Amino acid sequence: MAVCSSCGRKTSDFVQFECSGCDNSINRCKECKSNEIPFTCVKCGFNGP
Ligand SMILES: [Zn+2]
Ligand SMILES: [Zn+2]
């Protein structure tokens, strides 16, 4: 389980990738990925799709 960086919900169906601004790992749930919801990195504040 992980917390989605876009919607903040706990999900077991997610993708994990590295932030473009730092080395923080971003989790994004399947729903947010398919809807192309942007995420905000909690570490550096990077905003990205
Ligand atoms: Zn989500
Ligand atoms: Zn970052």
Side-chain angles (χ1 to χ4, degrees):
M1 292 290 274
V3 177
C4 174
S5 300
S6 292
C7 65
R9 283 184 293 198
K10 282 184 181 172
T11 177
S12 54
D13 195 2
F14 65 95
V15 288
Q16 187 173 68
F17 57 97
E18 209 168 85
C19 172
S20 306
C22 68
D23 60 357
N24 193 27
S25 52
I26 306 288
N27 303 314
R28 198 155 64 153
C29 71
K30 195 182 170 188
E31 205 178 302
C32 289
K33 188 180 185 289
S34 61
N35 291 327
E36 295 179 359
I37 308 290
F39 66 89
T40 304
C41 176
V42 290
K43 214 171 164 184
C44 70
F46 179 85
N47 246 271

